[in-house]
Amino acid sequence: MRRAIYPGSFDPVTNGHLDIIQRGCKLFDEIIVAILVNPEKTPFFSVEERREILAEVLKDIERGSCKVVVESFEGLLVQYAAERQAHAIVRGIRAISDYEYEMQMALMNRRLEPALETVFMMPAEAYSYVSSRLVKEVFHLGGSIGGLVPAIVEERMRTKSQVPGPRSKAVNP
Ligand code: PNS
């Protein structure tokens, strides 16, 4: 049984994250989507809300026989991965700009726990520019985020911030 941890902030989960989970499912029997509890950041969605949203959207994705669970964690990722007896960490790399930060983290994690591998995966090109940060920025400025996040995420963002529908039309994502 090969188990991987897919850690992140997921604030909010994007279609790019879901794409990585589906790709990870081709390599692993189980993926734990692990939301970092970070007291230093003020998130848009609370950890509990992010857990709920992820659980909801994961119901609908194609994942074969792969088990996908959602959890949250605090502290060192490698320690959490050891507690869960995970074999690998999955991270998505969209562009070269992601690579430097991701490589630093992967090598630091390897130094802390040499037995734990990091697997980098590329999302579909259509999501290569999608980030939670940009999704929030566009949303708050009234732009369309349709096609970038699951519909339930957009609905929950609207309900939470009481922002009306988009003021711009999206070109195909
Ligand atoms: O989605 P993000 O915000 O890019 O995810 C970053 C995350 C959660 C993978 C990273 O911040 C992390 O692993 N934090 C846990 C604390 C830790 O282990 N720090 C040392 C990593 S080298």
Side-chain angles (χ1 to χ4, degrees):
M1 220 282 280
R2 307 299 295 171
R3 178 181 291 141
I5 307 266
Y6 181 35
S9 305
F10 304 104
D11 185 37
V13 60
T14 67
N15 286 341
H17 291 129
L18 297 182
D19 183 88
I20 294 292
I21 294 169
Q22 283 176 297
R23 287 172 199 281
C25 274
K26 295 183 196 162
L27 302 181
F28 298 97
D29 303 302
E30 182 179 323
I31 296 191
I32 303 179
V33 181
I35 305 165
L36 174 69
V37 179
N38 186 351
E40 281 163 31
K41 273 197 188 170
T42 310
F44 181 75
F45 286 119
S46 69
V47 170
E48 207 32 62
E49 287 169 324
R50 279 176 274 163
R51 278 182 83 139
E52 268 172 39
I53 294 169
L54 270 161
E56 187 70 31
V57 297
L58 287 170
K59 279 190 208 155
D60 299 330
I61 68 162
E62 179 58 55
R63 63 181 114 101
S65 57
C66 172
K67 187 175 168 198
V68 182
V69 292
V70 184
E71 293 190 351
S72 51
F73 75 103
E74 278 177 86
L76 273 185
L77 175 60
V78 291
Q79 205 171 326
Y80 167 71
E83 280 163 25
R84 291 289 176 269
Q85 298 184 314
H87 303 93
I89 294 167
V90 167
R91 290 286 288 171
I93 293 214
R94 292 160 297 193
I96 287 293
S97 48
D98 284 339
Y99 182 72
E100 204 172 332
Y101 168 63
E102 293 296 334
M103 198 184 71
Q104 279 179 358
M105 280 205 300
L107 293 178
M108 181 61 80
N109 285 332
R110 180 183 283 170
R111 181 176 187 273
L112 296 168
E113 181 47 75
L116 185 68
E117 294 297 337
T118 297
V119 175
F120 292 141
M121 304 200 76
M122 278 179 294
E125 280 166 54
Y127 305 126
S128 59
Y129 61 95
V130 180
S131 68
S132 301
R133 184 182 63 79
L134 277 185
V135 162
K136 283 182 284 196
E137 184 173 322
V138 170
F139 173 81
H140 287 304
L141 296 173
S144 168
I145 54 168
L148 306 180
V149 294
I152 172 191
V153 170
E154 193 173 352
E155 276 161 38
R156 294 281 297 248
M157 286 177 84
R158 247 175 246 307
T159 313
K160 192 161 172 114
S161 61
Q162 303 196 322
V163 167
R167 290 195 293 269
S168 78
K169 269 254 175 294
V171 188
N172 274 345

